[in-house]
Amino acid sequence: MTTETQEPQRRNLARPPFYRDVRVIRVVSQLLAVLVVFAIAFWLVNNLISNMNRLGISTSFDFLFGPTNTAIPYHGTFDPRSPVWQMALVGIKNTFLAGFFGVILASVMGLLVGISRLSDNWLVARLATFYVELFRNIPPLVIIIFFGFAVFTFGPFPIFSESWELKVPGSVNNFLIINNDRWGIPGFTATGALVGFWAILIFGVIVAAYVWLRRTKHFERTGQPHHRVLWFTGVVLASLVLAYFLTGQPVDMSWPVISENRRRVDGGFIANWGWMSVTFALGLYTASHLGEIIRGSILAVHQGQSEAGNALALSAFQRYRFVILPQAMRIALPPTINQYLNLVKNTSLGTAVGYAEITALTKTSVGNGRPAFQSFIIVMAVYLTFSLSISLVLNIVNRRLELESR
Amino acid sequence: MKRTKLFAALTALMLILAACTAAEDGGAATTEAAAGGGDGGGAAAGGTLDAVRAADVVVCGVNDGLPGFGVVGADGTYSGFDVDFCRVVAAGVLGDADKVEYKPLTADVRFTSLQSGDIDVLIRNTTWTATRDGQEGASFLFTVFYDGQGMMVPASTGFTTLEDLADANICVLSGTTTELNLTAVFGARGIPFNPVVFEDNAQLRPAYEEGQCEGWTSDSSQLASFKAAIEGEGGDEQFIMAEIISKEPLGPVVSDGDTEWAQAVEWSVMATVQAWEFGLDSGNIGSYSGDNPNILNFLGTDNFDPGLGLSSDFAIQVVTQVGNYKEIFDRHIPAIGLSLEGSPNNIWTDGGLMYVPPYR
């Protein structure tokens, strides 16, 4: 019996012919796959270029250096004679602004909603459920249009010339200007060179980071509370004050003022209705998805963790802050990355409310005779860069959070 | 640890793939479109006329939201000045004005649609400009409507000149020559302004009516049509400034590189003006009994064929089924508040610009 089974085994040890060798097949099949992909890609690009040549359409990117010739909404300082690539930069900046603030809003709201859905308080839990079901089930474009038109165009706010001007009590300065088009809030303006100011401030942040590490070490050594957030904030604030006075007060408040013809807001930070609509709509929409992710992640943390926290007499806040959320975040992060990517990509819907982000500006530019394919290749590259950057940063965070696999 | 390495490798691969596809994605889109057009519309070099005859339908890119020029009715049928010229092309080329497939297009995709062969002809209030002629791979044909850009403001404001709009929000459609003219004219006069750009008149109009914009700039014909619509629906009275800030010749557009098709479309369209000049309309063209040799040629008597690739009776088909230029104009344009009298759209014998080469 043993001899019978040994016989075929010995034959298997001999090398099979190359077309049956697993190692060869593996390499060759992958090479073939790559070749096919590249052949198809080459064929498509070749097809495109020959078609464009036949129609006499330019395939070059020279148009980027020609004049833009159109003004950009809510960018009065943009000179229409500037080259097209500068217009694209404005679009990229606007996409970033909507994406960045949208992500912040979505994260804060998402966390609140996710925790609220699990609340023991009946009303809070129901409200959170209502919120999630409402926003999750409406397409983001509809929410953006709703915000743009129901809140601003047809909303309760006055037209520009009749703006509400809310004054700082006991002063002539406005701290808020509200109308259906542009809102103004106080900002800062430079009155001198800022190099020294920034240098001191950056140095301060580095010192603060060092203090943070020292406090952490101190905590690990002695077990005494580290209060590192307080220490960090304190050092940064101190360096801010120091920088301001040492460099001769180079920054001043800039108050928003309505121009004499009541058609401009001068000074301060100005937010236009398109930006507000896109940011709020996408922030709230994404928050409904994030809320669900966070709720699921909290539920995925073993019940015993919460009970252990209870047994240690931790308050509800402490239980979430130190026991549950750190573990839940580890689970929530990968799907959250997706939501952030979606949010940034969805800013392209801002064109519906006239928000001058990169897609809207490119469409205008293409409509005015700039080549569509080259323009949209640039737009794709922009979104790809945004998405890959977000993925990269969050993946690094994810790796830090991940449990060491044993 | 192993997982980390795999992850790093995957990320690197994704980056490489991404870098490659960035250059290719655009390609994929076009080729598909071109391939799709090949069997249907067929904008392949030459042969569009044959392709249209084979498909027995003219694919026409139109506007679906511009009263007077192109709108979709409640029952899904298209009507308007531009739409009638799609019917003219179908009547001329196929002998049946109903053999049109309408493709509603937004301003910013219309040329791409034409280039890719998605449509055979674009008749969508499209202004003929040098850049478009040169860079969009498009051939602009006989101008069917001479328009000019104007500025509308609510009558209650009392504004009469562009200077009154310094620093104001001005509503404008994106991807139109309007936007370029606005920037150029205000720039040249040193008037600061803020454009509020919309993709669609459906969104622009409420913003204007609710006072988000103090002015609305567009082709005068469009402004007139919206002025009529706003006032007709009980809105505020509107005022269109006398000043015309641009030339906007609108007409049919075909893809570059197919002169046979371009000629067929152009002569079908010009037949409406020729008929008007001859005093022929949909009522009397079938029963012409005179002996004017030019008219007899035009009507294809004795199979007169100038070699345009059209049937000899194409003019009769066009005019009986759709009408002459004046009939088409009267059907749609007076309703939006514009008249033929004194406009460049009148026939040349009455001081207008409608002048076509002789049909002989």
Side-chain angles (χ1 to χ4, degrees):
Chain A
M1 196 163 159
T2 41
T3 46
E4 272 173 35
T5 49
Q6 267 173 352
E7 187 62 22
Q9 260 178 4
R10 205 178 301 138
R11 210 180 293 147
N12 273 355
L13 284 177
R15 225 171 149 175
F18 71 92
Y19 54 86
R20 288 184 58 199
D21 188 334
V22 164
R23 282 163 298 184
V24 175
I25 291 175
R26 220 178 263 153
V27 172
V28 169
S29 62
Q30 295 205 20
L31 274 179
L32 271 180
V34 169
L35 267 180
V36 167
V37 168
F38 272 92
I40 292 176
F42 177 79
W43 178 70
L44 289 176
V45 171
N46 198 35
N47 209 344
L48 165 70
I49 292 175
S50 55
N51 270 327
M52 285 170 77
N53 283 340
R54 180 175 54 73
L55 289 169
I57 303 168
S58 154
T59 46
S60 88
F61 281 86
D62 293 344
F63 71 96
L64 283 175
F65 303 99
T68 306
N69 284 339
T70 46
I72 298 180
Y74 302 97
H75 282 78
T77 51
F78 181 83
D79 182 349
R81 282 162 302 181
S82 327
V84 172
W85 62 266
Q86 283 187 12
M87 177 211 74
L89 285 187
V90 173
I92 292 169
K93 184 197 82 183
N94 283 338
T95 297
F96 174 79
L97 284 179
F100 181 77
F101 286 96
V103 161
I104 291 180
L105 177 66
S107 307
V108 173
M109 276 300 290
L111 191 61
L112 281 179
V113 169
I115 294 176
S116 303
R117 280 206 72 179
L118 295 170
S119 168
D120 292 333
N121 183 320
W122 186 87
L123 185 65
V124 170
R126 286 309 126 98
L127 275 178
T129 309
F130 176 72
Y131 174 90
V132 167
E133 294 305 336
L134 179 72
F135 278 98
R136 197 173 56 163
N137 293 311
I138 302 177
L141 177 62
V142 176
I143 304 180
I144 290 176
I145 291 179
F146 177 82
F147 263 88
F149 289 90
V151 176
F152 291 98
T153 303
F154 292 106
F157 306 117
I159 61 170
F160 203 107
S161 55
E162 293 157 19
S163 297
W164 295 332
E165 296 170 73
L166 308 183
K167 309 269 181 206
V168 178
S171 150
V172 291
N173 296 324
N174 298 313
F175 79 88
L176 194 56
I177 288 177
I178 293 181
N179 56 58
N180 66 5
D181 190 66
R182 264 168 281 184
W183 291 18
I185 59 167
F188 302 98
T189 166
T191 52
L194 287 178
V195 184
F197 179 81
W198 282 117
I200 297 178
L201 194 60
I202 290 169
F203 180 71
V205 172
I206 295 171
V207 171
Y210 177 72
V211 171
W212 174 290
L213 289 178
R214 282 301 299 269
R215 293 302 302 175
T216 312
K217 284 232 176 80
H218 178 74
F219 162 74
E220 281 164 358
R221 212 172 49 240
T222 64
Q224 284 166 355
H226 48 64
H227 296 308
R228 55 188 180 197
V229 176
L230 275 180
W231 275 92
F232 183 86
T233 323
V235 174
V236 170
L237 280 180
S239 65
L240 192 69
V241 172
L242 210 64
Y244 179 70
F245 286 105
L246 277 186
T247 56
Q249 311 183 4
V251 180
D252 203 1
M253 283 296 276
S254 154
W255 300 97
V257 183
I258 291 201
S259 66
E260 215 157 287
N261 60 11
R262 300 197 69 79
R263 278 170 172 166
R264 272 195 335 261
V265 178
D266 297 327
F269 286 125
I270 301 163
N272 66 64
W273 70 289
W275 177 75
M276 289 188 277
S277 306
V278 174
T279 307
F280 278 97
L282 291 182
L284 296 181
Y285 169 78
T286 308
S288 67
H289 290 263
L290 285 184
E292 286 299 274
I293 291 172
I294 287 167
R295 182 177 71 107
S297 308
I298 290 175
L299 288 177
V301 175
H302 197 276
Q303 180 92 47
Q305 298 286 325
S306 184
E307 285 164 0
N310 260 340
L312 290 172
L314 297 183
S315 71
F317 173 78
Q318 286 172 323
R319 216 165 59 228
Y320 267 109
R321 166 68 186 81
F322 297 109
V323 179
I324 299 172
L325 281 184
Q327 301 182 65
M329 282 308 146
R330 199 173 285 150
I331 307 167
L333 199 60
T336 302
I337 300 175
N338 267 334
Q339 293 302 326
Y340 286 172
L341 295 184
N342 279 343
L343 190 147
V344 171
K345 286 183 287 181
N346 281 340
T347 55
S348 61
L349 301 172
T351 162
V353 285
Y355 182 53
E357 40 74 46
I358 184 74
T359 309
L361 289 184
T362 305
K363 283 171 122 176
T364 297
S365 171
V366 167
N368 287 326
R370 245 74 65 167
F373 304 115
Q374 291 93 311
S375 299
F376 279 104
I377 282 170
I378 292 173
V379 172
M380 286 191 288
V382 167
Y383 283 112
L384 195 67
T385 312
F386 270 120
S387 295
L388 289 181
S389 316
I390 295 174
S391 293
L392 187 70
V393 171
L394 290 185
N395 279 328
I396 291 172
V397 175
N398 192 22
R399 220 173 308 160
R400 288 285 306 271
L401 283 182
E402 236 174 30
L403 283 175
E404 287 295 324
S405 42
R406 279 165 274 232
Chain B
M1 215 41 225
K2 208 171 174 188
R3 217 163 39 169
T4 326
K5 264 188 196 158
L6 180 70
F7 180 78
L10 270 177
T11 317
L13 185 70
M14 264 173 55
L15 277 167
I16 294 166
L17 274 180
C20 300
T21 40
E24 290 155 17
D25 279 351
T30 0
T31 336
E32 266 168 37
D39 41 19
T48 309
L49 185 57
D50 293 333
V52 166
R53 288 230 169 93
D56 205 24
V57 66
V58 175
V59 185
C60 192
V62 293
N63 198 332
D64 61 355
L66 182 59
F69 285 83
V71 284
V72 193
D75 53 353
T77 55
Y78 285 78
S79 64
F81 184 81
D82 282 346
V83 168
D84 268 357
F85 276 100
C86 293
R87 291 169 51 77
V88 163
V89 173
V93 174
L94 301 174
D96 184 348
D98 291 331
K99 288 183 176 164
V100 186
E101 183 190 329
Y102 298 102
K103 281 257 170 77
L105 299 172
T106 55
D108 47 9
V109 303
R110 51 187 161 180
F111 288 111
T112 319
S113 204
L114 189 67
Q115 290 157 7
S116 64
D118 250 1
I119 55 174
D120 298 314
V121 56
L122 173 71
I123 313 184
R124 189 203 171 280
N125 48 291
T126 302
T127 304
W128 182 356
T129 70
T131 314
R132 285 176 171 178
D133 215 343
Q135 289 178 9
E136 299 285 12
S139 290
F140 288 77
L141 306 178
F142 183 76
T143 298
V144 292
F145 197 92
Y146 290 92
D147 214 334
Q149 185 174 341
M151 178 74 73
M152 180 160 78
V153 293
S156 58
T157 58
F159 297 153
T160 52
T161 67
L162 298 182
E163 275 75 7
D164 290 332
L165 288 170
D167 278 331
N169 277 0
I170 292 169
C171 276
V172 60
L173 276 194
S174 73
T176 60
T177 48
T178 325
E179 217 179 339
L180 295 171
N181 294 328
L182 175 71
T183 310
V185 170
F186 276 64
R189 296 218 210 147
I191 312 171
F193 74 105
N194 180 42
V196 182
V197 179
F198 292 93
E199 272 196 313
D200 209 307
N201 280 325
Q203 287 146 12
L204 189 153
R205 186 178 152 183
Y208 171 75
E209 283 196 86
E210 293 295 316
Q212 243 176 328
C213 305
E214 292 186 68
W216 179 350
T217 185
S218 189
D219 292 352
S220 314
S221 59
Q222 293 200 30
L223 292 180
S225 99
F226 281 107
K227 177 180 192 284
I230 291 174
E231 290 171 354
E233 289 161 27
D236 296 336
E237 205 183 318
Q238 304 297 323
F239 173 76
I240 298 175
M241 292 182 183
E243 195 169 359
I244 295 295
I245 62 176
S246 73
K247 296 187 286 187
E248 307 286 340
L250 315 178
V253 193
V254 295
S255 203
D256 261 348
D258 189 348
T259 40
E260 186 192 32
W261 172 241
Q263 284 171 357
V265 171
E266 186 152 47
W267 281 95
S268 300
V269 168
M270 291 194 300
T272 61
V273 177
Q274 186 64 70
W276 181 21
E277 190 185 325
F278 284 147
L280 302 170
D281 59 32
S282 57
N284 65 19
I285 191 168
S287 55
Y288 179 76
S289 57
D291 52 5
N292 181 334
N294 286 334
I295 295 184
L296 290 175
N297 281 349
F298 181 61
L299 299 181
T301 319
D302 300 331
N303 285 327
F304 176 78
D305 181 7
L308 293 168
L310 296 166
S311 66
S312 54
D313 69 337
F314 83 99
I316 299 183
Q317 298 299 340
V318 166
V319 177
T320 17
Q321 296 185 36
V322 191
N324 69 24
Y325 183 91
K326 187 171 187 303
E327 288 178 284
I328 296 172
F329 190 99
D330 285 345
R331 206 153 41 222
H332 304 290
I333 306 300
I336 60 170
L338 293 174
S339 78
L340 199 55
E341 300 307 313
S343 89
N345 297 309
N346 211 337
I347 190 89
W348 63 283
T349 48
D350 278 342
L353 292 175
M354 284 300 155
Y355 180 106
V356 295
Y359 192 81
R360 62 167 182 253

